[in-house]
């Protein structure tokens, strides 16, 4: 992956880090154990954010050695699981199957870091002690040859929105707007929000993660219906000669391109999670996602194609009942879209390893070995060998054949 130019840039960054001023990170005490984690520390605590979004140190961690697998086959791991008793059982699960990767929360869905940086860090105030010793965690992943991917939730961020409402969307009475799940978003138009998240991504790269996966790279769902009712700034996009729909698409695409550029010196891959239906339409105007434009600016594109999340797409009624058929039809569409790109990214979709009982009787089936294998087989039949499994509770189906092509 690394080119001579990248190496030169990385060398210059290291020189600056050695002789310049940086916030730095103190090494965690060796007595910390990755097997246990303390209680959440957010209750009643006043979060303190810096007046200006300072950057982490530019020191690159060279203590770990990871190789890209034959094809990434991974699972999602929360900060709680990564820092708790479940971690070693998940490591064993991956190690004893054809799986080989973990997508680990570094900035989670509320906006917290999942580990404690040094107290002098500008991000200390938004951190939680879920992963007590992140260096030990990385060492275990290295020893077991498990490919580490850092998940960073970007624009869904209640912590930042409530601490700095001017970076969010506000109602007419000045309150931070929240969706029906009581979640707040920050504003993708604002460069300060971009830097806030990319600085965290840079630190994840320095910690040894081989890939940065950005999630919630979008405006809130249904934003087109509340655009005119919310108060928010557009920053440099205010004067662009586009309607608001195209401005949203441009802002989201620009963020991805900017993130990719900023992360170049760290020699990490950049991936983005995206709604599956975005590949089936020109663009998703409300949320600002354009599948083609995002794909042109990443190394990996990860569409969330859980059968339970679709309506009667592709002529399939009740798609949760038909995991192979749904994934098969989606893969055909995605292959066609990516096939038109000069340098297409790797396709690595998110698959369903959970039961969507919330759909109601008759609209769902219990997902187990057969259903997970059906989705993987559908990808394989369309030439897609990489995938990620999602289960919010990190409880994954056992006995699954993850490599149908090896039979």
């Amino acid at each position: 992956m690394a080119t001579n130019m990248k190496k030169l840039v990385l060398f210059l960054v290291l020189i600056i880090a050695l002789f310049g001023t940086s916030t730095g990170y103190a090494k965690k005490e060796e007595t910390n154990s990755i097997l246990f984690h303390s209680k959440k520390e957010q209750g009643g605590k006043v979060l303190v954010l810096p007046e200006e979004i300072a950057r982490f140190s530019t020191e690159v961690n060279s203590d770990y050695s990871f190789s890209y697998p034959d094809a990434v086959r991974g699972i999602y791991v929360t900060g709680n699981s990564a820092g708790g008793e479940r971690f070693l059982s998940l490591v064993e699960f991956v190690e004893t199957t054809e799986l080989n990767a973990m997508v680990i929360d570094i900035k989670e869905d509320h906006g917290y870091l999942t580990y404690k940086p040094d107290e002098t860090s500008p991000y200390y105030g938004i951190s939680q002690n879920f992963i007590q010793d992140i260096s030990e965690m990385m060492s275990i992943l290295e020893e077991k040859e498990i490919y580490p991917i850092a998940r960073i939730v970007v624009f869904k961020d209640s912590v930042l929105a409530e601490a700095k409402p001017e970076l969010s969307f506000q109602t007419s009475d000045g309150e931070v707007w929240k969706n029906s799940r009581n979640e707040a978003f920050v504003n993708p138009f604002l460069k300060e929000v971009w830097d806030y998240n990319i600085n965290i991504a840079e630190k994840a790269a320095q910690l040894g993660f081989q890939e940065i996966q950005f999630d919630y790279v979008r405006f809130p769902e249904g934003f087109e219906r509340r655009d005119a009712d919310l108060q928010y700034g557009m920053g440099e996009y205010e004067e662009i000669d586009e309607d608001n729909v195209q401005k949203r698409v441009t802002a989201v695409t620009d963020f991805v391109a900017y993130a990719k550029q900023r992360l170049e010196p760290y020699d990490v891959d950049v991936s983005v999670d995206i709604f599956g239906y975005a590949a089936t339409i020109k663009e998703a105007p409300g949320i600002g996602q354009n599948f083609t434009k995002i794909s042109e600016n990443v190394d990996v594109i990860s569409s969330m194609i859980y059968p339970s999340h679709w309506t009667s797409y592709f002529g399939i009624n009740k798609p949760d009942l038909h995991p192979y058929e749904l994934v098969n039809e989606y893969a055909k569409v995605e292959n066609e879209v990516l096939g038109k790109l000069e340098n297409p990214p790797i396709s690595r979709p998110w698959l369903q390893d959970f039961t969507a009982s919330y759909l109601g009787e008759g609209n769902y089936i219990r997902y187990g070995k057969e259903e997970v294998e059906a989705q993987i087989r559908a990808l394989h039949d369309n030439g897609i060998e990489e995938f990620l499994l999602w289960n919010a509770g990190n409880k994954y189906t056992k006995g699954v054949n993850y490599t149908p092509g090896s039979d």
Side-chain angles (χ1 to χ4, degrees), residues 1 65-73 100-101 145-149 210-211 268-271 299-301 345-348 385-388:
M1 244 182 342
S65 177
F66 293 96
S67 297
Y68 197 93
D70 62 310
V72 169
R73 299 179 290 274
N100 53 34
E145 298 182 349
I146 297 174
Y147 194 72
I149 302 170
Q210 301 298 288
E211 179 175 317
V268 292
D269 282 339
V270 173
S271 61
D299 301 294
V300 180
I301 192 76
I346 293 171
S347 171
R348 189 193 301 153
E385 304 299 341
E386 300 204 5
F387 60 85
L388 301 169

PDB file of all heavy atoms in Angstrom, residues 1 65-73 100-101 145-149 210-211 268-271 299-301 345-348 385-388:
ATOM      1  N   MET A   1       0.808  -1.206   0.000  1.00  0.00           N
ATOM      2  CA  MET A   1       0.000   0.000   0.000  1.00  0.00           C
ATOM      3  C   MET A   1       0.842   1.256   0.000  1.00  0.00           C
ATOM      4  O   MET A   1       0.524   2.268  -0.590  1.00  0.00           O
ATOM      5  CB  MET A   1      -0.865   0.016   1.254  1.00  0.00           C
ATOM      6  CG  MET A   1      -2.295  -0.038   1.006  1.00  0.00           C
ATOM      7  SD  MET A   1      -3.267   0.028   2.513  1.00  0.00           S
ATOM      8  CE  MET A   1      -2.220  -0.376   3.841  1.00  0.00           C
ATOM      9  N   SER A  65       2.776  -5.284  14.129  1.00  0.00           N
ATOM     10  CA  SER A  65       2.902  -5.749  12.757  1.00  0.00           C
ATOM     11  C   SER A  65       1.666  -6.565  12.396  1.00  0.00           C
ATOM     12  O   SER A  65       1.424  -7.633  12.965  1.00  0.00           O
ATOM     13  CB  SER A  65       4.166  -6.608  12.602  1.00  0.00           C
ATOM     14  OG  SER A  65       4.266  -7.114  11.289  1.00  0.00           O
ATOM     15  N   PHE A  66       0.884  -6.040  11.464  1.00  0.00           N
ATOM     16  CA  PHE A  66      -0.315  -6.724  10.981  1.00  0.00           C
ATOM     17  C   PHE A  66      -0.224  -6.889   9.475  1.00  0.00           C
ATOM     18  O   PHE A  66       0.302  -6.017   8.778  1.00  0.00           O
ATOM     19  CB  PHE A  66      -1.579  -5.933  11.314  1.00  0.00           C
ATOM     20  CG  PHE A  66      -1.892  -5.842  12.779  1.00  0.00           C
ATOM     21  CD1 PHE A  66      -1.497  -4.725  13.509  1.00  0.00           C
ATOM     22  CD2 PHE A  66      -2.582  -6.854  13.417  1.00  0.00           C
ATOM     23  CE1 PHE A  66      -1.790  -4.620  14.860  1.00  0.00           C
ATOM     24  CE2 PHE A  66      -2.882  -6.758  14.775  1.00  0.00           C
ATOM     25  CZ  PHE A  66      -2.484  -5.650  15.496  1.00  0.00           C
ATOM     26  N   SER A  67      -0.748  -7.984   8.981  1.00  0.00           N
ATOM     27  CA  SER A  67      -0.804  -8.226   7.540  1.00  0.00           C
ATOM     28  C   SER A  67      -2.258  -8.254   7.092  1.00  0.00           C
ATOM     29  O   SER A  67      -3.142  -8.751   7.819  1.00  0.00           O
ATOM     30  CB  SER A  67      -0.140  -9.563   7.187  1.00  0.00           C
ATOM     31  OG  SER A  67       1.226  -9.545   7.522  1.00  0.00           O
ATOM     32  N   TYR A  68      -2.507  -7.717   5.901  1.00  0.00           N
ATOM     33  CA  TYR A  68      -3.863  -7.761   5.356  1.00  0.00           C
ATOM     34  C   TYR A  68      -4.213  -9.221   5.054  1.00  0.00           C
ATOM     35  O   TYR A  68      -3.444  -9.928   4.407  1.00  0.00           O
ATOM     36  CB  TYR A  68      -3.947  -6.924   4.085  1.00  0.00           C
ATOM     37  CG  TYR A  68      -5.365  -6.582   3.677  1.00  0.00           C
ATOM     38  CD1 TYR A  68      -5.942  -5.393   4.086  1.00  0.00           C
ATOM     39  CD2 TYR A  68      -6.120  -7.455   2.889  1.00  0.00           C
ATOM     40  CE1 TYR A  68      -7.237  -5.070   3.720  1.00  0.00           C
ATOM     41  CE2 TYR A  68      -7.412  -7.146   2.524  1.00  0.00           C
ATOM     42  CZ  TYR A  68      -7.970  -5.946   2.946  1.00  0.00           C
ATOM     43  OH  TYR A  68      -9.260  -5.636   2.589  1.00  0.00           O
ATOM     44  N   PRO A  69      -5.360  -9.689   5.521  1.00  0.00           N
ATOM     45  CA  PRO A  69      -5.725 -11.095   5.306  1.00  0.00           C
ATOM     46  C   PRO A  69      -5.988 -11.400   3.826  1.00  0.00           C
ATOM     47  O   PRO A  69      -6.037 -10.495   2.983  1.00  0.00           O
ATOM     48  CB  PRO A  69      -7.007 -11.253   6.133  1.00  0.00           C
ATOM     49  CG  PRO A  69      -7.053 -10.070   7.045  1.00  0.00           C
ATOM     50  CD  PRO A  69      -6.363  -8.971   6.317  1.00  0.00           C
ATOM     51  N   ASP A  70      -6.172 -12.673   3.514  1.00  0.00           N
ATOM     52  CA  ASP A  70      -6.541 -13.050   2.148  1.00  0.00           C
ATOM     53  C   ASP A  70      -7.820 -12.341   1.730  1.00  0.00           C
ATOM     54  O   ASP A  70      -7.979 -11.935   0.588  1.00  0.00           O
ATOM     55  CB  ASP A  70      -6.711 -14.571   2.043  1.00  0.00           C
ATOM     56  CG  ASP A  70      -7.818 -15.110   2.939  1.00  0.00           C
ATOM     57  OD1 ASP A  70      -7.828 -14.766   4.141  1.00  0.00           O
ATOM     58  OD2 ASP A  70      -8.672 -15.872   2.454  1.00  0.00           O
ATOM     59  N   ALA A  71      -8.730 -12.189   2.674  1.00  0.00           N
ATOM     60  CA  ALA A  71      -9.956 -11.405   2.507  1.00  0.00           C
ATOM     61  C   ALA A  71     -10.464 -11.111   3.913  1.00  0.00           C
ATOM     62  O   ALA A  71     -10.509 -12.008   4.755  1.00  0.00           O
ATOM     63  CB  ALA A  71     -11.010 -12.170   1.708  1.00  0.00           C
ATOM     64  N   VAL A  72     -10.810  -9.861   4.178  1.00  0.00           N
ATOM     65  CA  VAL A  72     -11.268  -9.499   5.520  1.00  0.00           C
ATOM     66  C   VAL A  72     -12.638 -10.103   5.783  1.00  0.00           C
ATOM     67  O   VAL A  72     -13.596  -9.877   5.039  1.00  0.00           O
ATOM     68  CB  VAL A  72     -11.301  -7.968   5.694  1.00  0.00           C
ATOM     69  CG1 VAL A  72     -12.030  -7.588   6.980  1.00  0.00           C
ATOM     70  CG2 VAL A  72      -9.895  -7.395   5.697  1.00  0.00           C
ATOM     71  N   ARG A  73     -12.721 -10.873   6.865  1.00  0.00           N
ATOM     72  CA  ARG A  73     -13.991 -11.451   7.339  1.00  0.00           C
ATOM     73  C   ARG A  73     -14.061 -11.130   8.826  1.00  0.00           C
ATOM     74  O   ARG A  73     -13.362 -11.747   9.637  1.00  0.00           O
ATOM     75  CB  ARG A  73     -14.020 -12.965   7.090  1.00  0.00           C
ATOM     76  CG  ARG A  73     -13.915 -13.359   5.622  1.00  0.00           C
ATOM     77  CD  ARG A  73     -13.915 -14.868   5.424  1.00  0.00           C
ATOM     78  NE  ARG A  73     -12.678 -15.469   5.917  1.00  0.00           N
ATOM     79  CZ  ARG A  73     -11.558 -15.587   5.211  1.00  0.00           C
ATOM     80  NH1 ARG A  73     -11.507 -15.128   3.960  1.00  0.00           N
ATOM     81  NH2 ARG A  73     -10.481 -16.138   5.735  1.00  0.00           N
ATOM     82  N   ASN A 100     -11.213 -13.295  10.668  1.00  0.00           N
ATOM     83  CA  ASN A 100      -9.837 -12.819  10.852  1.00  0.00           C
ATOM     84  C   ASN A 100      -9.737 -11.338  11.207  1.00  0.00           C
ATOM     85  O   ASN A 100      -8.638 -10.772  11.186  1.00  0.00           O
ATOM     86  CB  ASN A 100      -9.020 -13.089   9.593  1.00  0.00           C
ATOM     87  CG  ASN A 100      -9.676 -12.534   8.328  1.00  0.00           C
ATOM     88  OD1 ASN A 100     -10.329 -11.492   8.359  1.00  0.00           O
ATOM     89  ND2 ASN A 100      -9.513 -13.247   7.215  1.00  0.00           N
ATOM     90  N   ALA A 101     -10.848 -10.682  11.514  1.00  0.00           N
ATOM     91  CA  ALA A 101     -10.802  -9.238  11.747  1.00  0.00           C
ATOM     92  C   ALA A 101     -11.828  -8.818  12.791  1.00  0.00           C
ATOM     93  O   ALA A 101     -12.842  -9.497  12.996  1.00  0.00           O
ATOM     94  CB  ALA A 101     -11.046  -8.478  10.444  1.00  0.00           C
ATOM     95  N   GLU A 145      -3.096 -12.623  15.224  1.00  0.00           N
ATOM     96  CA  GLU A 145      -3.207 -12.277  13.806  1.00  0.00           C
ATOM     97  C   GLU A 145      -4.642 -11.904  13.421  1.00  0.00           C
ATOM     98  O   GLU A 145      -5.183 -12.339  12.412  1.00  0.00           O
ATOM     99  CB  GLU A 145      -2.689 -13.421  12.928  1.00  0.00           C
ATOM    100  CG  GLU A 145      -1.213 -13.715  13.164  1.00  0.00           C
ATOM    101  CD  GLU A 145      -0.678 -14.813  12.251  1.00  0.00           C
ATOM    102  OE1 GLU A 145      -1.485 -15.488  11.581  1.00  0.00           O
ATOM    103  OE2 GLU A 145       0.552 -14.980  12.201  1.00  0.00           O
ATOM    104  N   ILE A 146      -5.238 -11.069  14.266  1.00  0.00           N
ATOM    105  CA  ILE A 146      -6.588 -10.556  14.021  1.00  0.00           C
ATOM    106  C   ILE A 146      -6.456  -9.113  13.539  1.00  0.00           C
ATOM    107  O   ILE A 146      -5.899  -8.254  14.232  1.00  0.00           O
ATOM    108  CB  ILE A 146      -7.455 -10.632  15.284  1.00  0.00           C
ATOM    109  CG1 ILE A 146      -7.631 -12.107  15.712  1.00  0.00           C
ATOM    110  CG2 ILE A 146      -8.804  -9.963  15.060  1.00  0.00           C
ATOM    111  CD1 ILE A 146      -8.346 -12.283  17.021  1.00  0.00           C
ATOM    112  N   TYR A 147      -6.947  -8.847  12.362  1.00  0.00           N
ATOM    113  CA  TYR A 147      -6.794  -7.544  11.702  1.00  0.00           C
ATOM    114  C   TYR A 147      -7.657  -6.500  12.408  1.00  0.00           C
ATOM    115  O   TYR A 147      -8.881  -6.651  12.512  1.00  0.00           O
ATOM    116  CB  TYR A 147      -7.200  -7.688  10.246  1.00  0.00           C
ATOM    117  CG  TYR A 147      -6.796  -6.550   9.352  1.00  0.00           C
ATOM    118  CD1 TYR A 147      -5.466  -6.355   8.989  1.00  0.00           C
ATOM    119  CD2 TYR A 147      -7.754  -5.680   8.834  1.00  0.00           C
ATOM    120  CE1 TYR A 147      -5.093  -5.317   8.144  1.00  0.00           C
ATOM    121  CE2 TYR A 147      -7.388  -4.643   7.986  1.00  0.00           C
ATOM    122  CZ  TYR A 147      -6.066  -4.465   7.646  1.00  0.00           C
ATOM    123  OH  TYR A 147      -5.693  -3.446   6.816  1.00  0.00           O
ATOM    124  N   PRO A 148      -7.050  -5.390  12.906  1.00  0.00           N
ATOM    125  CA  PRO A 148      -7.793  -4.406  13.688  1.00  0.00           C
ATOM    126  C   PRO A 148      -8.304  -3.221  12.858  1.00  0.00           C
ATOM    127  O   PRO A 148      -7.549  -2.559  12.150  1.00  0.00           O
ATOM    128  CB  PRO A 148      -6.753  -3.935  14.704  1.00  0.00           C
ATOM    129  CG  PRO A 148      -5.452  -4.025  13.956  1.00  0.00           C
ATOM    130  CD  PRO A 148      -5.595  -5.139  12.933  1.00  0.00           C
ATOM    131  N   ILE A 149      -9.590  -2.970  12.961  1.00  0.00           N
ATOM    132  CA  ILE A 149     -10.240  -1.854  12.266  1.00  0.00           C
ATOM    133  C   ILE A 149     -10.909  -0.969  13.316  1.00  0.00           C
ATOM    134  O   ILE A 149     -11.647  -1.458  14.172  1.00  0.00           O
ATOM    135  CB  ILE A 149     -11.292  -2.365  11.264  1.00  0.00           C
ATOM    136  CG1 ILE A 149     -10.643  -3.301  10.232  1.00  0.00           C
ATOM    137  CG2 ILE A 149     -12.015  -1.202  10.579  1.00  0.00           C
ATOM    138  CD1 ILE A 149     -11.641  -4.036   9.355  1.00  0.00           C
ATOM    139  N   GLN A 210      -5.162  -0.699  11.556  1.00  0.00           N
ATOM    140  CA  GLN A 210      -4.763  -0.755  10.155  1.00  0.00           C
ATOM    141  C   GLN A 210      -5.780  -0.112   9.214  1.00  0.00           C
ATOM    142  O   GLN A 210      -5.501   0.101   8.042  1.00  0.00           O
ATOM    143  CB  GLN A 210      -4.556  -2.214   9.734  1.00  0.00           C
ATOM    144  CG  GLN A 210      -3.502  -2.927  10.545  1.00  0.00           C
ATOM    145  CD  GLN A 210      -2.137  -2.294  10.392  1.00  0.00           C
ATOM    146  OE1 GLN A 210      -1.507  -2.408   9.346  1.00  0.00           O
ATOM    147  NE2 GLN A 210      -1.663  -1.620  11.441  1.00  0.00           N
ATOM    148  N   GLU A 211      -6.955   0.163   9.740  1.00  0.00           N
ATOM    149  CA  GLU A 211      -8.008   0.762   8.922  1.00  0.00           C
ATOM    150  C   GLU A 211      -8.878   1.633   9.796  1.00  0.00           C
ATOM    151  O   GLU A 211      -9.153   1.291  10.958  1.00  0.00           O
ATOM    152  CB  GLU A 211      -8.850  -0.339   8.257  1.00  0.00           C
ATOM    153  CG  GLU A 211      -9.995   0.178   7.385  1.00  0.00           C
ATOM    154  CD  GLU A 211     -10.693  -0.971   6.665  1.00  0.00           C
ATOM    155  OE1 GLU A 211     -10.006  -1.875   6.147  1.00  0.00           O
ATOM    156  OE2 GLU A 211     -11.940  -0.969   6.628  1.00  0.00           O
ATOM    157  N   VAL A 268      -2.814   3.869   6.415  1.00  0.00           N
ATOM    158  CA  VAL A 268      -3.969   3.066   6.804  1.00  0.00           C
ATOM    159  C   VAL A 268      -5.008   3.125   5.690  1.00  0.00           C
ATOM    160  O   VAL A 268      -5.051   4.081   4.912  1.00  0.00           O
ATOM    161  CB  VAL A 268      -4.599   3.566   8.121  1.00  0.00           C
ATOM    162  CG1 VAL A 268      -3.669   3.336   9.289  1.00  0.00           C
ATOM    163  CG2 VAL A 268      -4.999   5.044   8.014  1.00  0.00           C
ATOM    164  N   ASP A 269      -5.825   2.104   5.622  1.00  0.00           N
ATOM    165  CA  ASP A 269      -6.961   2.147   4.710  1.00  0.00           C
ATOM    166  C   ASP A 269      -8.081   2.967   5.329  1.00  0.00           C
ATOM    167  O   ASP A 269      -8.199   3.072   6.560  1.00  0.00           O
ATOM    168  CB  ASP A 269      -7.466   0.731   4.409  1.00  0.00           C
ATOM    169  CG  ASP A 269      -6.591   0.006   3.403  1.00  0.00           C
ATOM    170  OD1 ASP A 269      -5.860   0.680   2.654  1.00  0.00           O
ATOM    171  OD2 ASP A 269      -6.630  -1.235   3.367  1.00  0.00           O
ATOM    172  N   VAL A 270      -8.924   3.526   4.480  1.00  0.00           N
ATOM    173  CA  VAL A 270     -10.081   4.298   4.918  1.00  0.00           C
ATOM    174  C   VAL A 270     -11.334   3.640   4.347  1.00  0.00           C
ATOM    175  O   VAL A 270     -11.397   3.347   3.147  1.00  0.00           O
ATOM    176  CB  VAL A 270      -9.994   5.767   4.450  1.00  0.00           C
ATOM    177  CG1 VAL A 270     -11.294   6.511   4.772  1.00  0.00           C
ATOM    178  CG2 VAL A 270      -8.799   6.456   5.088  1.00  0.00           C
ATOM    179  N   SER A 271     -12.298   3.397   5.214  1.00  0.00           N
ATOM    180  CA  SER A 271     -13.561   2.801   4.770  1.00  0.00           C
ATOM    181  C   SER A 271     -14.725   3.613   5.303  1.00  0.00           C
ATOM    182  O   SER A 271     -14.589   4.360   6.280  1.00  0.00           O
ATOM    183  CB  SER A 271     -13.676   1.348   5.240  1.00  0.00           C
ATOM    184  OG  SER A 271     -13.642   1.254   6.651  1.00  0.00           O
ATOM    185  N   ASP A 299     -10.871   3.372   0.342  1.00  0.00           N
ATOM    186  CA  ASP A 299     -10.245   2.097  -0.010  1.00  0.00           C
ATOM    187  C   ASP A 299     -11.242   0.952   0.079  1.00  0.00           C
ATOM    188  O   ASP A 299     -11.121  -0.045  -0.644  1.00  0.00           O
ATOM    189  CB  ASP A 299      -9.075   1.813   0.938  1.00  0.00           C
ATOM    190  CG  ASP A 299      -8.014   2.898   0.887  1.00  0.00           C
ATOM    191  OD1 ASP A 299      -7.374   3.039  -0.176  1.00  0.00           O
ATOM    192  OD2 ASP A 299      -7.826   3.603   1.892  1.00  0.00           O
ATOM    193  N   VAL A 300     -12.221   1.096   0.981  1.00  0.00           N
ATOM    194  CA  VAL A 300     -13.212   0.046   1.221  1.00  0.00           C
ATOM    195  C   VAL A 300     -14.573   0.695   1.377  1.00  0.00           C
ATOM    196  O   VAL A 300     -14.713   1.722   2.044  1.00  0.00           O
ATOM    197  CB  VAL A 300     -12.878  -0.751   2.506  1.00  0.00           C
ATOM    198  CG1 VAL A 300     -13.925  -1.838   2.754  1.00  0.00           C
ATOM    199  CG2 VAL A 300     -11.480  -1.359   2.435  1.00  0.00           C
ATOM    200  N   ILE A 301     -15.592   0.101   0.760  1.00  0.00           N
ATOM    201  CA  ILE A 301     -16.970   0.566   0.944  1.00  0.00           C
ATOM    202  C   ILE A 301     -17.760  -0.556   1.612  1.00  0.00           C
ATOM    203  O   ILE A 301     -17.706  -1.704   1.179  1.00  0.00           O
ATOM    204  CB  ILE A 301     -17.625   0.984  -0.402  1.00  0.00           C
ATOM    205  CG1 ILE A 301     -18.939   1.726  -0.150  1.00  0.00           C
ATOM    206  CG2 ILE A 301     -17.798  -0.177  -1.349  1.00  0.00           C
ATOM    207  CD1 ILE A 301     -18.774   3.148   0.304  1.00  0.00           C
ATOM    208  N   PRO A 345     -13.255   0.733  -4.977  1.00  0.00           N
ATOM    209  CA  PRO A 345     -12.782   0.258  -3.673  1.00  0.00           C
ATOM    210  C   PRO A 345     -13.121  -1.218  -3.482  1.00  0.00           C
ATOM    211  O   PRO A 345     -13.886  -1.799  -4.257  1.00  0.00           O
ATOM    212  CB  PRO A 345     -13.569   1.126  -2.696  1.00  0.00           C
ATOM    213  CG  PRO A 345     -14.867   1.376  -3.412  1.00  0.00           C
ATOM    214  CD  PRO A 345     -14.502   1.507  -4.869  1.00  0.00           C
ATOM    215  N   ILE A 346     -12.568  -1.802  -2.452  1.00  0.00           N
ATOM    216  CA  ILE A 346     -12.969  -3.150  -2.065  1.00  0.00           C
ATOM    217  C   ILE A 346     -14.394  -3.098  -1.537  1.00  0.00           C
ATOM    218  O   ILE A 346     -14.752  -2.200  -0.775  1.00  0.00           O
ATOM    219  CB  ILE A 346     -12.028  -3.699  -0.977  1.00  0.00           C
ATOM    220  CG1 ILE A 346     -10.630  -3.917  -1.547  1.00  0.00           C
ATOM    221  CG2 ILE A 346     -12.564  -4.999  -0.371  1.00  0.00           C
ATOM    222  CD1 ILE A 346      -9.591  -4.253  -0.494  1.00  0.00           C
ATOM    223  N   SER A 347     -15.207  -4.046  -1.933  1.00  0.00           N
ATOM    224  CA  SER A 347     -16.559  -4.168  -1.394  1.00  0.00           C
ATOM    225  C   SER A 347     -16.513  -5.094  -0.184  1.00  0.00           C
ATOM    226  O   SER A 347     -16.035  -6.226  -0.272  1.00  0.00           O
ATOM    227  CB  SER A 347     -17.510  -4.739  -2.444  1.00  0.00           C
ATOM    228  OG  SER A 347     -18.763  -5.045  -1.852  1.00  0.00           O
ATOM    229  N   ARG A 348     -16.995  -4.590   0.939  1.00  0.00           N
ATOM    230  CA  ARG A 348     -17.019  -5.385   2.166  1.00  0.00           C
ATOM    231  C   ARG A 348     -18.320  -5.096   2.925  1.00  0.00           C
ATOM    232  O   ARG A 348     -18.351  -4.341   3.885  1.00  0.00           O
ATOM    233  CB  ARG A 348     -15.813  -5.065   3.034  1.00  0.00           C
ATOM    234  CG  ARG A 348     -15.642  -6.009   4.239  1.00  0.00           C
ATOM    235  CD  ARG A 348     -14.633  -5.456   5.213  1.00  0.00           C
ATOM    236  NE  ARG A 348     -13.317  -5.265   4.614  1.00  0.00           N
ATOM    237  CZ  ARG A 348     -12.437  -4.367   5.033  1.00  0.00           C
ATOM    238  NH1 ARG A 348     -12.732  -3.544   6.013  1.00  0.00           N
ATOM    239  NH2 ARG A 348     -11.256  -4.269   4.453  1.00  0.00           N
ATOM    240  N   GLU A 385     -15.836 -11.426  -1.661  1.00  0.00           N
ATOM    241  CA  GLU A 385     -15.314 -12.361  -0.670  1.00  0.00           C
ATOM    242  C   GLU A 385     -15.130 -11.740   0.716  1.00  0.00           C
ATOM    243  O   GLU A 385     -14.861 -12.453   1.678  1.00  0.00           O
ATOM    244  CB  GLU A 385     -13.972 -12.936  -1.150  1.00  0.00           C
ATOM    245  CG  GLU A 385     -14.027 -13.617  -2.511  1.00  0.00           C
ATOM    246  CD  GLU A 385     -14.970 -14.817  -2.552  1.00  0.00           C
ATOM    247  OE1 GLU A 385     -15.304 -15.358  -1.474  1.00  0.00           O
ATOM    248  OE2 GLU A 385     -15.379 -15.201  -3.675  1.00  0.00           O
ATOM    249  N   GLU A 386     -15.251 -10.421   0.820  1.00  0.00           N
ATOM    250  CA  GLU A 386     -15.074  -9.770   2.114  1.00  0.00           C
ATOM    251  C   GLU A 386     -16.432  -9.401   2.703  1.00  0.00           C
ATOM    252  O   GLU A 386     -17.381  -9.073   1.977  1.00  0.00           O
ATOM    253  CB  GLU A 386     -14.190  -8.527   1.989  1.00  0.00           C
ATOM    254  CG  GLU A 386     -12.796  -8.840   1.471  1.00  0.00           C
ATOM    255  CD  GLU A 386     -11.762  -7.809   1.877  1.00  0.00           C
ATOM    256  OE1 GLU A 386     -12.095  -6.880   2.648  1.00  0.00           O
ATOM    257  OE2 GLU A 386     -10.601  -7.930   1.444  1.00  0.00           O
ATOM    258  N   PHE A 387     -16.526  -9.451   4.030  1.00  0.00           N
ATOM    259  CA  PHE A 387     -17.791  -9.102   4.696  1.00  0.00           C
ATOM    260  C   PHE A 387     -17.520  -8.842   6.170  1.00  0.00           C
ATOM    261  O   PHE A 387     -16.481  -9.219   6.725  1.00  0.00           O
ATOM    262  CB  PHE A 387     -18.829 -10.223   4.541  1.00  0.00           C
ATOM    263  CG  PHE A 387     -18.401 -11.543   5.117  1.00  0.00           C
ATOM    264  CD1 PHE A 387     -18.577 -11.826   6.464  1.00  0.00           C
ATOM    265  CD2 PHE A 387     -17.800 -12.507   4.314  1.00  0.00           C
ATOM    266  CE1 PHE A 387     -18.159 -13.034   7.004  1.00  0.00           C
ATOM    267  CE2 PHE A 387     -17.378 -13.716   4.835  1.00  0.00           C
ATOM    268  CZ  PHE A 387     -17.563 -13.989   6.189  1.00  0.00           C
ATOM    269  N   LEU A 388     -18.494  -8.183   6.806  1.00  0.00           N
ATOM    270  CA  LEU A 388     -18.482  -7.938   8.247  1.00  0.00           C
ATOM    271  C   LEU A 388     -19.815  -8.383   8.820  1.00  0.00           C
ATOM    272  O   LEU A 388     -20.858  -8.233   8.169  1.00  0.00           O
ATOM    273  CB  LEU A 388     -18.259  -6.450   8.535  1.00  0.00           C
ATOM    274  CG  LEU A 388     -16.974  -5.832   7.983  1.00  0.00           C
ATOM    275  CD1 LEU A 388     -17.020  -4.308   8.122  1.00  0.00           C
ATOM    276  CD2 LEU A 388     -15.744  -6.396   8.679  1.00  0.00           C
TER     277      LEU A 388
END
